């Protein structure tokens, strides 16, 4: 395949960025999107130009490190991560626009790399449970129903990629926060900190500059882990309960 | 996953639930639901116009004598007005606050952005809401505060003022455009309020709330539209 790539380039956080155009040729449709960018970077290296900075780590869809707004969709046209997106999803001769996540809370570090440490701080504010260390508790002493365990597990599959924020017209992090609040709220171990968790996590998300949710639904459609919109309902319900409890 | 930069916000200490964006959304949803109940009853009342001059004017007068002598003349009407004014201020103030937040949340726009997975009504709540606000101002001038008769006729008789207004085709158009905006706002607003209040925790509840949005949009905006349409075509006459 031959492709025209329009890629956002920005040397550092404070510099003015701009879209640059590149041509790549002889791309196999079995390559992942990131491998296609690797090919371009090899080219740029050979020409003595600065390679394009982009994030990736596991390249198997589990770490959440890869990002990229591809032709206006977070992680590209398929419901998956960019590392698991294959070039067969594009056609020969296509022009592909590649941009970083755009959010006040995800400042651009360089080119396509953004700083998502705001998510870490939101998790630090309540994305945990407190448990005594020492000997492991007896596993059967705290029963958890199968349906709740499964649902909690599904919510725990969030990889913190930020596609929800990137695709939301309000730049809201509600799906991400909702996934964690729902996951821990479903389990007995999550109950003692339930009220403070939701208040603290939402306050941190507000502080970081994420927008408010308007229940548009672009986030759930873009989520590579298919976290459903229900979690935002649960998030709102938990916050409402916390207000009632005087937190 | 993170590549930290230097200037990160600090961790918030001892935050308050009532100062969060979700608290703003709860105010917006509650005031919105008050509007929905109001427009539902208001729409039903307007249909009295099909009963003719006397039925409509009697209904308008009854609204004022309702509850007498426990309540003073127009007492109930004033209770409703105060509730609506408080709701309107709440709804608009929270809308503006959240709108500003959202604009700041994405300082650099995308060169290309697809919004293929959301309803048009959901992405036009703010401009549509503003349209409704402008309409509400005109509507109150027209029928309540100013009693402006755009055809230049008398204004003392509620039924005749209504017929005079909608006999003008362009007035009917303005009202129908406003009802289209109302339908859009109700379509997304109903579902959004249910979600904001935390009532849509399952896929089924979500589907039901969306269906209710359709029903309310069609019934309320459609019901309101009947009177102007039937007046301009000459069925409702003086
Ligand atoms: C006065 C002009 C109005 C403005 C400026 C306005 C604006 C807005 C905005 C910006 C939203 C948030 C959208 C979202 O969260 O997706 C909203 C929500 C809503 N509006 Fe309005 N609106 C107005 C009038 C009305 C009226 C007349 C009704 C009822 C018939 C109404 C009912 C609702 C409802 C039910 C919601 C959902 C609340 C939620 O998101 O949880 N609004 N409005
Ligand atoms: S909710 Fe989905 S889109 Fe958002 S960070 Fe988690 S995995 Fe990514
Ligand atoms: S690189 Fe780990 S999810 Fe894509």
């Amino acid at each position: 395949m031959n492709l025209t790539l329009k890629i956002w380039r920005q040397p550092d956080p404070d510099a003015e960025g701009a879209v640059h155009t590149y041509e790549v040729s002889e791309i196999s449709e079995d390559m992942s999107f990131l491998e296609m960018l690797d090919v371009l970077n090899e080219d740029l290296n050979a020409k003595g130009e600065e390679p394009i900075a982009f994030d990736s780590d596991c390249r198997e869809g589990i770490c959440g490190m890869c990002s990229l707004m591809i032709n206006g969709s977070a992680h590209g046209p398929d419901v998956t991560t960019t590392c698991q997106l294959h070039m067969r999803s594009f056609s020969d001769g296509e022009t592909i626009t590649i941009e970083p996540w755009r959010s006040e809370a995800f400042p651009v570090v360089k080119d396509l790399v953004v700083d998502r440490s705001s998510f870490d701080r939101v998790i630090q504010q309540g994305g945990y449970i407190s448990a005594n260390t020492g000997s492991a508790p007896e596993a059967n002493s705290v029963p958890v129903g199968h349906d709740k365990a499964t649902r909690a597990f599904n919510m725990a599959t969030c990889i913190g990629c930020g596609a929800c924020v990137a695709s939301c017209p309000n730049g809201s992090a509600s799906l991400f926060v909702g996934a964690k609040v729902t996951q821990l709220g479903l389990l007995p171990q999550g109950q003692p900190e339930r009220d403070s968790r939701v208040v603290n996590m939402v306050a941190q998300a507000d502080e970081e500059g994420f927008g408010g949710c308007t229940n548009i639904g672009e986030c759930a459609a873009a989520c590579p882990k298919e976290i459903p919109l229900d979690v935002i309902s649960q998030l709102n319900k938990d916050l409402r309960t916390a207000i009632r409890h005087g937190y | 996953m993170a590549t930290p930069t230097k200037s990160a916000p600090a961790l918030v200490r001892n935050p308050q639930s009532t100062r969060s964006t979700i608290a703003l959304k709860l105010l917006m949803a509650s005031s919105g639901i008050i509007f929905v109940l109001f427009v539902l009853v208001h729409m039903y009342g307007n249909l009295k116009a099909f009963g003719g001059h006397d039925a409509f004017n009697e209904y308008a007068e009854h609204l004022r004598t309702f509850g007498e002598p426990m309540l003073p003349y127009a007492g109930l009407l004033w209770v409703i007005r105060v509730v609506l004014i408080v709701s309107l201020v709440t709804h608009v103030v929270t809308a503006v606050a959240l709108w500003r937040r959202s604009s700041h949340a994405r300082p650099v726009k995308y060169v290309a952005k697809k919004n293929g997975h959301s309803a048009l009504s959901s992405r036009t709540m703010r401009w549509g809401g503003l349209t409704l606000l402008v309409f509400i101002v005109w509507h109150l001038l027209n029928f309540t505060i100013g009693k402006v008769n755009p055809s230049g006729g008398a204004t003392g008789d509620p039924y005749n003022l209504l017929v005079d207004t909608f006999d003008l085709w362009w007035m009917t158009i303005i009202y129908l455009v406003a009802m289209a905006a109302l339908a859009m706002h109700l379509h997304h607003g109903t579902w959004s309020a249910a979600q904001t209040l935390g009532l849509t925790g399952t896929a089924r509840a979500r589907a039901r709330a969306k269906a209710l949005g359709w029903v309310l949009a069609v019934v309320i905006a459609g019901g309101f539209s009947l009177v102007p349409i039937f007046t301009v075509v000459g069925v409702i006459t003086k």
Side-chain angles (χ1 to χ4, degrees):
Chain A
M1 306 168 79
N2 299 326
L3 299 162
T4 305
L5 305 175
K6 298 193 153 191
I7 303 180
W8 181 264
R9 306 274 344 230
Q10 180 176 339
D12 63 73
D14 304 317
E16 279 274 316
V19 174
H20 291 230
T21 306
Y22 302 90
E23 307 284 338
V24 284
S25 49
E26 289 171 44
I27 297 294
S28 154
E29 60 178 26
D30 296 329
M31 281 180 185
S32 78
F33 198 85
L34 297 184
E35 285 166 336
M36 181 276 293
L37 288 179
D38 291 338
V39 170
L40 171 61
N41 274 348
E42 293 286 333
D43 249 26
L44 293 177
N45 262 333
K47 288 191 221 151
E49 288 178 38
E50 180 79 10
I52 292 151
F54 61 89
D55 268 326
S56 80
D57 191 359
C58 70
R59 296 212 176 189
E60 53 185 28
I62 55 167
C63 74
M65 195 66 191
C66 57
S67 55
L68 308 185
M69 205 66 171
I70 302 167
N71 279 346
S73 301
H75 295 301
D78 299 345
V79 179
T80 187
T81 54
T82 302
C83 57
Q84 293 298 299
L85 174 68
H86 288 83
M87 295 315 292
R88 65 183 80 97
S89 298
F90 299 86
S91 40
D92 189 29
E94 202 174 328
T95 300
I96 306 176
T97 306
I98 309 170
E99 298 171 78
W101 287 170
R102 293 293 188 198
S103 162
E104 169 70 15
F106 294 162
V108 172
V109 177
K110 183 177 181 181
D111 296 342
L112 302 169
V113 175
V114 296
D115 173 3
R116 280 168 280 182
S117 59
S118 49
F119 266 12
D120 295 350
R121 289 186 293 277
V122 171
I123 291 294
Q124 248 179 298
Q125 288 279 35
Y128 54 80
I129 57 147
S130 298
N132 290 332
T133 53
S135 60
E138 157 60 36
N140 291 322
S141 62
V142 186
V144 181
H146 179 71
D147 53 336
K148 286 197 173 174
T150 319
R151 197 168 145 77
F153 182 81
N154 286 343
M155 302 315 152
T157 58
C158 166
I159 50 177
C161 62
C164 42
V165 173
S167 55
C168 173
N170 298 304
S172 171
S174 293
L175 197 70
F176 169 76
V177 181
K180 191 54 67 188
V181 163
T182 304
Q183 176 212 332
L184 297 176
L186 279 163
L187 301 173
Q189 293 86 347
Q191 299 315 311
E193 286 142 329
R194 191 157 177 181
D195 286 334
S196 60
R197 171 181 305 117
V198 64
V199 175
N200 291 340
M201 289 181 80
V202 168
Q204 191 65 34
D206 289 350
E207 174 75 14
E208 300 287 344
F210 293 110
C213 174
T214 58
N215 304 311
I216 280 179
E218 290 290 345
C219 54
C223 174
K225 298 298 161 182
E226 301 179 60
I227 304 286
L229 271 187
D230 326 356
V231 301
I232 299 181
S233 176
Q234 188 65 53
L235 174 72
N236 294 333
K237 193 174 184 175
D238 277 23
L239 192 104
R240 179 156 59 78
T241 310
I243 291 179
R244 200 153 41 79
H245 292 170
Y247 269 84
Chain B
M1 298 307 295
T3 310
T5 46
K6 285 159 287 172
S7 57
L11 289 184
V12 181
R13 292 284 159 227
N14 301 319
Q16 275 182 330
S17 56
T18 46
R19 307 204 50 175
S20 61
T21 44
I22 297 180
L24 290 179
K25 283 302 308 263
L26 286 168
L27 287 174
M28 175 161 246
S30 348
S31 51
I33 287 174
I34 290 173
F35 290 153
V36 174
L37 296 176
F38 168 73
V39 286
L40 195 61
V41 175
H42 184 359
M43 182 277 291
Y44 170 77
N46 284 11
L47 296 179
K48 290 274 178 197
F50 284 100
H53 178 275
D54 294 348
F56 187 81
N57 282 358
E58 254 166 47
Y59 172 76
E61 182 57 20
H62 185 230
L63 284 181
R64 287 158 177 82
T65 55
F66 196 96
E68 274 186 341
M70 291 281 281
L71 290 171
Y73 182 77
L76 177 73
L77 215 54
W78 272 108
V79 172
I80 296 176
R81 282 174 184 161
V82 168
V83 170
L84 287 175
I85 290 168
V86 171
S87 302
L88 188 67
V89 171
T90 308
H91 201 76
V92 175
V93 167
T94 49
V96 169
L98 288 164
W99 192 344
R100 290 190 51 180
R101 267 200 79 88
S102 293
S103 318
H104 293 155
R106 177 152 303 133
V108 183
K109 303 284 169 266
Y110 288 110
V111 175
K113 175 72 170 83
K114 290 201 182 100
N115 285 321
H117 299 280
S118 51
L120 179 67
S121 61
S122 73
R123 284 177 273 116
T124 49
M125 287 300 272
R126 290 168 186 150
W127 289 110
L130 223 54
T131 309
L132 285 176
L133 188 60
V134 171
F135 167 73
I136 290 168
V137 171
W138 161 246
H139 178 58
L140 291 178
L141 284 177
N142 190 181
F143 287 118
T144 309
I145 306 168
K147 305 239 188 236
V148 176
N149 189 333
S151 73
T155 58
D157 184 299
Y159 180 82
N160 290 346
L161 178 58
L162 178 146
V163 176
D164 278 350
T165 301
F166 296 129
D167 269 343
L168 299 171
W169 63 269
W170 54 273
M171 261 292 131
T172 298
I173 300 277
I174 289 176
Y175 273 81
L176 292 182
V177 168
M179 286 312 105
L182 181 63
M184 302 256 289
H185 206 78
L186 284 172
H187 173 252
H188 181 70
T190 304
W191 133 255
S192 182
Q195 172 90 347
T196 301
L197 292 171
L199 307 175
T200 43
T202 61
R204 258 186 87 184
R206 209 164 359 125
R208 283 213 195 107
K210 292 202 164 169
L212 183 65
W214 275 107
V215 170
L216 287 178
V218 171
V219 169
I220 295 177
F224 270 131
S225 303
L226 291 177
V227 173
I229 291 173
F230 278 83
T231 308
V232 81
V233 300
V235 176
I236 297 175
T237 51
K238 280 205 257 188

